[in-house]
């Protein structure tokens, strides 16, 4: 099975300053037409983002980090879009998942979403959220998308818990 990959780099906090791999939704959502050199990755509150968000004001013009479960991938994407988010990264809710990418597909509704939706491994999402909690930070600063073909392999900072 061949996946299309998109990469982003956490710039801050420094303890998770790695390049992460995500996969775009298969049949809904937009694409990245812009490269964001420094944009906030804001964990949604509540994490599953299946309804109104307590921190929706912080998601406007930023990228939301959402947790899988509770409702469809498309529903989560629409909630983030309605709060003005530029994209959504949906992390698997299996925190030990460090290698299996889920194919995010359209639900049975006739709804659409315009913002990009990406799937992130559960271990990666967990480690990002854990770092933010440890540092008492409301968001990470990321660069997305990152062109990894221009980075020499020896310089590519990959999460130590992920096999590439």
């Amino acid at each position: 099975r061949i996946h299309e990959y998109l990469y982003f780099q956490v710039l801050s906090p420094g303890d998770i300053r790695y390049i992460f791999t995500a996969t775009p939704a298969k049949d809904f959502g937009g694409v990245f037409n812009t490269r964001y050199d420094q944009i906030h990755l804001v964990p949604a509150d509540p994490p599953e983002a299946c309804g109104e968000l307590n921190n929706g004001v912080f998601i406007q013009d930023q990228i939301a980090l959402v947790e899988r479960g509770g409702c469809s991938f498309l529903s989560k994407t629409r909630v983030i879009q309605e709060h003005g988010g530029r994209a959504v990264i949906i992390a698997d809710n299996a925190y030990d998942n460090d290698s299996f990418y889920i194919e995010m597909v359209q639900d049975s509704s006739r709804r659409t979403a315009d913002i990009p939706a990406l799937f992130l491994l559960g271990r990666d999402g967990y480690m990002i959220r854990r770092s933010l909690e440890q540092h008492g930070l409301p968001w990470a600063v990321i660069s997305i998308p990152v062109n990894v073909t221009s980075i020499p392999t020896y310089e590519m900072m990959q999460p130590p818990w992920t096999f590439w």
Side-chain angles (χ1 to χ4, degrees):
R1 182 146 210 116
I2 298 172
H3 283 288
E4 177 184 342
Y5 295 107
L6 189 137
Y7 303 92
F8 68 94
Q9 181 174 21
V10 173
L11 304 173
S12 170
D15 62 332
I16 53 165
R17 193 179 169 101
Y18 300 116
I19 294 176
F20 293 89
T21 304
T23 55
K26 182 178 179 181
D27 57 4
F28 69 90
V31 296
F32 280 95
N33 294 320
T34 305
R35 174 173 151 70
Y36 301 101
D37 289 321
Q38 291 190 4
I39 192 165
H40 294 162
L41 178 64
V42 183
D45 177 21
E48 291 181 340
C50 291
E52 192 59 33
L53 300 176
N54 298 322
N55 65 338
V57 67
F58 297 113
I59 287 173
Q60 181 155 356
D61 291 326
Q62 306 303 323
I63 296 175
L65 177 63
V66 171
E67 196 168 294
R68 180 180 176 206
C71 60
S72 71
F73 293 120
L74 177 58
S75 292
K76 294 171 185 303
T77 304
R78 288 181 55 84
V79 165
I80 299 307
Q81 180 175 306
E82 288 162 8
H83 282 84
R86 299 216 178 167
V88 61
I89 297 175
I90 303 171
D92 196 353
N93 55 3
Y95 298 154
D96 59 344
N97 177 8
D98 60 3
S99 60
F100 183 70
Y101 289 90
I102 305 286
E103 195 168 73
M104 296 193 310
V105 295
Q106 173 79 269
D107 61 19
S108 58
S109 72
R110 295 176 185 253
R111 301 172 302 164
T112 61
D114 300 319
I115 64 171
L118 305 172
F119 182 81
L120 181 65
L121 296 173
R123 174 68 52 87
D124 292 346
Y126 169 77
M127 297 301 274
I128 292 169
R129 282 190 301 273
R130 188 181 84 168
S131 175
L132 293 175
E133 288 169 13
Q134 288 173 341
H135 293 286
L137 297 172
W139 53 69
V141 178
I142 67 168
S143 232
I144 189 168
V146 171
N147 180 358
V148 296
T149 60
S150 65
I151 302 171
T153 307
Y154 63 89
E155 286 182 14
M156 203 148 102
M157 291 295 295
Q158 305 155 2
W161 56 85
T162 303
F163 296 105
W164 284 47

